[in-house]
Amino acid sequence: MNSNRQEYVRQAFQKMDATNDGQITVEDIRKLYNASKHPKFLSGEWTEDQCFRHFLDSFDSPGNPDGVVGFTQMF
């Protein structure tokens, strides 16, 4: 990844790290995530929590589903 892209990733990471502890946690993401436009929420098929869990599952690593992403893990 070139240095320009790394800088964009760093900025995005800092924006998502609401607690400024160097990790993006479930609590950080919950503050930013809005399920109100999710198709399955709108149809009543899923609750807001189910939409959120589905979103989180797309980021967690299969071998270590701890719900935490550290900045150094990205590079």
Side-chain angles (χ1 to χ4, degrees), residues 23-60:
Q23 296 181 329
I24 298 173
T25 63
V26 172
E27 292 79 23
D28 293 326
I29 296 170
R30 183 163 298 277
K31 292 176 185 176
L32 301 169
Y33 184 77
N34 180 354
S36 66
K37 303 289 186 207
H38 193 287
K40 290 193 177 191
F41 179 76
L42 291 172
S43 72
E45 187 176 342
W46 286 359
T47 65
E48 187 173 347
D49 284 340
Q50 287 172 309
C51 293
F52 183 62
R53 183 73 252 168
H54 179 72
F55 177 75
L56 289 178
D57 288 346
S58 69
F59 291 99
D60 233 339

